[in-house]
Amino acid sequence: MKARHLNREVRRTRHLSAWIKVEGRAHCECQVLDISTHGAKVIVASAVPDRFELAFSEGGQHRVCEVVWRRAKMLGVKFIF
């Protein structure tokens, strides 16, 4: 049996502050632990919906996200737009 190799996208470790926005309003602050072109790993303090906007504190960038996995207060999200 051949070993199966998964090609993972390069992730960059970051410790960025961001805000989770739901329906255009700030919902809660969060920390981005790592980020790639197509997604991020985020730590949140409260429950968040499956789809939200991630607004980075530095640079003013916003990304629409969809939750791919959840582990306690840690989320894996993919960027939609």
Side-chain angles (χ1 to χ4, degrees), residues 58-71:
E58 293 180 25
Q61 185 181 21
H62 294 233
R63 301 296 301 263
V64 176
C65 301
E66 184 173 45
V67 176
V68 178
W69 56 263
R70 294 175 188 262
R71 291 188 191 105

Side-chain angles (χ1 to χ4, degrees), residues 44-63:
V44 295
S46 63
V48 297
D50 289 334
R51 192 174 268 203
F52 57 85
E53 185 177 356
L54 188 61
F56 294 93
S57 299
E58 293 180 25
Q61 185 181 21
H62 294 233
R63 301 296 301 263

Side-chain angles (χ1 to χ4, degrees), residues 9-57:
E9 188 174 352
V10 175
R11 298 175 185 187
R12 304 211 189 292
T13 301
R14 300 286 188 254
H15 294 283
L16 304 172
S17 292
W19 282 89
I20 291 178
K21 296 173 79 176
V22 178
E23 296 178 4
R25 295 187 177 156
H27 178 72
C28 65
E29 192 170 10
C30 66
Q31 295 294 312
V32 177
L33 298 181
D34 71 31
I35 192 165
S36 69
T37 305
H38 299 291
K41 184 180 351 178
V42 180
I43 293 182
V44 295
S46 63
V48 297
D50 289 334
R51 192 174 268 203
F52 57 85
E53 185 177 356
L54 188 61
F56 294 93
S57 299

